[in-house]
């Protein structure tokens, strides 16, 4: 049996195809999103690519919003591994002014949240719970509690490992969590981080990720 490599190299072509394939699944379910939220920076390129394939001829482009989240490693009071906590720092949030140009609010909308990888799930947990909170506050303010907002998560890769945080059960069970590929717990090398893109693409091809 061949050993799992330490690193998986991913090509732009591979990412393009994974976005195209996931967009088809979304459209087949009749769940075209009203807005795409890309988690900066890794979610931005997949968010832009998937938008291409979610658009049908003659329709308007789906607006993309970027939110910026960073993981801050908090080593705690003693530095044993068990006490390492991960905190999410919000570096950029929704632009409600821009959203208002397209529609009144996120209430009742289909929202597609895009990131490149679901590793410990900390980032996605934060994004989904904060966005849900945000919408719930808007609903209370506008007295529109009866309208249902649907959040879908799309990631290129989900690492098959114990997660540090969770996503809503309803999302996981209703097909609103979409990982194009599930991979073992290995390091994924994305093309936008590559110094030598030709070598990156060559290695990706060798691993069948092209
Ligand atoms: P989380 O642990 O919250 O699921 O992921 C946090 C972030 O860590 C991801 O958005 C991504 O930027 C980074 N990350 C985690 N695993 C990998 C990986 O295998 N490759 C790369 N390039 N980034 C990763």
């Amino acid at each position: 049996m061949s050993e799992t490599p330490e690193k998986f190299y991913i090509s732009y072509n591979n990412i393009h195809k994974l976005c195209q394939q996931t967009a088809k699944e979304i459209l087949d379910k009749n769940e075209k999103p009203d807005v795409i939220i890309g988690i900066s920076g890794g979610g931005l390129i997949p968010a832009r690519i998937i938008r291409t394939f979610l658009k049908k001829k003659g329709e308007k482009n789906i607006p993309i919003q970027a939110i910026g989240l960073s993981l801050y490693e908090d080593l705690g009071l003693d530095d044993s591994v068990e006490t390492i906590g991960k905190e999410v720092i919000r570096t950029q949030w929704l632009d409600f002014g821009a959203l208002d140009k397209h529609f009144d609010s996120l209430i009742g909308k289909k929202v597609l949240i895009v990131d490149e990888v679901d590793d410990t799930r900390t980032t996605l947990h934060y994004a989904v719970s904060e966005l849900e909170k945000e919408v719930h506050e808007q609903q209370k303010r506008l007295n529109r509690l009866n309208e249902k907002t649907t959040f879908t998560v799309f990631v290129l890769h989900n690492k098959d490992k114990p997660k540090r945080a969770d996503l809503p059960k309803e999302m996981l069970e209703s097909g609103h969590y979409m990982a194009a590929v599930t991979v073992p717990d290995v390091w994924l090398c994305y093309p936008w981080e590559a110094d030598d893109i030709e070598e990156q693409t060559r290695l990706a091809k060798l691993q069948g990720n092209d």
Side-chain angles (χ1 to χ4, degrees):
M1 209 172 71
S2 63
E3 273 180 37
T4 307
E6 270 174 37
K7 290 180 181 177
F8 279 6
Y9 292 88
I10 315 295
S11 70
Y12 280 119
N13 278 11
N14 183 232
I15 290 166
H16 204 86
K17 290 176 202 167
L18 296 178
C19 291
Q20 186 169 18
Q21 165 197 315
T22 305
K24 185 178 180 310
E25 285 171 36
I26 292 173
L27 293 182
D28 286 349
K29 290 194 286 186
N30 231 341
E31 292 191 349
K32 188 184 145 189
D34 300 294
V35 59
I36 298 171
I37 297 179
I39 302 180
S40 184
L44 299 182
I45 294 175
R48 175 59 190 88
I49 298 173
I50 201 168
R51 175 169 88 168
T52 296
F53 299 108
L54 288 167
K55 184 184 166 182
K56 293 181 191 153
K57 263 206 176 120
E59 287 179 350
K60 279 205 277 183
N61 278 327
I62 303 167
I64 298 179
Q65 287 251 324
I67 58 172
L69 302 176
S70 293
L71 281 190
Y72 167 75
E73 305 258 348
D74 174 10
L75 292 177
L77 292 174
D78 85 43
D79 57 1
S80 71
V81 173
E82 288 74 23
T83 63
I84 293 178
K86 281 197 171 181
E87 200 187 319
V88 179
I89 307 290
R90 214 193 253 206
T91 54
Q92 186 185 349
W93 200 240
L94 298 174
D95 178 348
F96 288 101
L99 276 179
D100 282 352
K101 286 196 189 130
H102 294 276
F103 28 76
D104 56 351
S105 70
L106 291 181
I107 302 170
K109 301 294 184 300
K110 294 191 193 71
V111 182
L112 182 66
I113 302 167
V114 182
D115 209 352
E116 86 278 43
V117 56
D118 176 356
D119 180 23
T120 64
R121 202 163 272 180
T122 311
T123 307
L124 286 170
H125 165 84
Y126 181 89
V128 171
S129 54
E130 289 296 299
L131 288 166
E132 279 186 341
K133 237 192 274 171
E134 191 92 51
V135 172
H136 191 66
E137 289 301 318
Q138 287 179 341
Q139 285 182 293
K140 281 198 292 193
R141 230 179 11 250
L142 301 171
N143 203 12
R144 289 171 59 182
L145 285 165
N146 54 344
E147 293 174 55
K148 177 141 178 65
T149 309
T150 309
F151 290 99
T152 300
V153 161
F154 163 52
V155 288
L156 299 169
H157 301 101
N158 173 34
K159 293 193 196 175
D160 187 12
K161 64 189 278 185
K163 304 294 185 183
R164 289 197 188 179
D166 49 21
L167 286 168
K169 199 163 172 267
E170 192 202 345
M171 171 183 271
L172 297 171
E173 288 175 355
S174 63
H176 290 112
Y177 171 83
M178 306 179 82
V181 187
T182 299
V183 294
D185 189 10
V186 295
W187 187 253
L188 299 156
C189 302
Y190 288 100
W192 46 80
E193 295 163 343
D195 283 332
D196 182 344
I197 193 62
E198 302 296 345
E199 179 63 359
Q200 166 87 13
T201 311
R202 190 185 71 79
L203 293 170
K205 272 189 186 162
L206 275 179
Q207 293 181 334
N209 304 323
D210 64 332

